[in-house]
Amino acid sequence: MIRHFTSSAIVFNTSGQVLLVHHNKIGLWLYPGGHVDPNEDPAEAALREVVEETGVEAEILAEEPFRHPAVRSIPPPFAIIEMDIEDRKVGPHRHIDFVYICRAHNDDLNAQLEEVGSAAWLDVAEVAKLAVPKELPSLVADAARRMPQLV
């Protein structure tokens, strides 16, 4: 089976709300994310996708990575998940998704309507009430519980 690397961001604002987008192609609410571009690391891809899809600037929150002057460290993801994808162009394949927890620098939404139907800040408890992938409410709730430790 073909595998693609993707990166996503579970972004929280200062009120503790989470940023979700309504994905045009699959008709579900998701956190922002997409494919990792050539010459891009997963952390860069996650932040780029947030800006592209929502207009929100964010920063990754993670435990302090290994540091040494001879190398560049990439922030570790909150989770790495693999899922089956159905796509009319590519056909069935799998995404290996690097999921990061992020804090928004601004709350202003400017959804890129060619990619997403809309973007919204939602209370964490509201996520389970939306049309979302099965794992999404648990991932968002777990990320929200970890926020105080990462700030």
Side-chain angles (χ1 to χ4, degrees):
M1 168 107 20
I2 297 170
R3 295 162 124 187
H4 293 173
F5 287 103
T6 60
S7 270
S8 301
I10 302 173
V11 182
F12 295 96
N13 64 15
T14 55
S15 300
Q17 294 177 307
V18 65
L19 177 61
L20 294 184
V21 297
H22 192 266
H23 195 280
N24 287 338
K25 197 186 295 187
I26 62 173
L28 297 175
W29 286 90
L30 307 168
Y31 37 71
H35 287 86
V36 177
D37 287 343
N39 298 315
E40 184 177 52
D41 70 48
E44 293 167 339
L47 295 175
R48 174 185 51 75
E49 289 288 345
V50 172
V51 172
E52 284 181 3
E53 293 180 0
T54 69
V56 172
E57 297 278 345
E59 67 180 297
I60 291 174
L61 302 177
E63 293 182 19
E64 187 69 26
F66 169 77
R67 297 227 183 264
H68 190 278
V71 296
R72 177 179 165 264
S73 290
I74 298 168
F78 155 62
I80 302 172
I81 58 175
E82 188 171 2
M83 67 205 87
D84 291 325
I85 302 295
E86 282 293 328
D87 188 298
R88 282 177 251 148
K89 289 182 184 174
V90 178
H93 62 284
R94 295 184 67 80
H95 280 180
I96 299 172
D97 192 30
F98 296 84
V99 182
Y100 290 89
I101 299 173
C102 297
R103 177 178 42 220
H105 288 249
N106 62 301
D107 286 353
D108 303 330
L109 295 177
N110 183 18
Q112 303 301 311
L113 299 179
E114 59 276 353
E115 290 198 39
V116 299
S118 63
W121 290 106
L122 301 160
D123 292 330
V124 171
E126 293 177 44
V127 173
K129 299 173 186 172
L130 299 172
V132 296
K134 293 177 188 173
E135 74 283 353
L136 194 96
S138 296
L139 269 170
V140 169
D142 194 22
R145 283 191 294 275
R146 293 169 191 247
M147 276 291 292
Q149 301 160 358
L150 297 173
V151 176

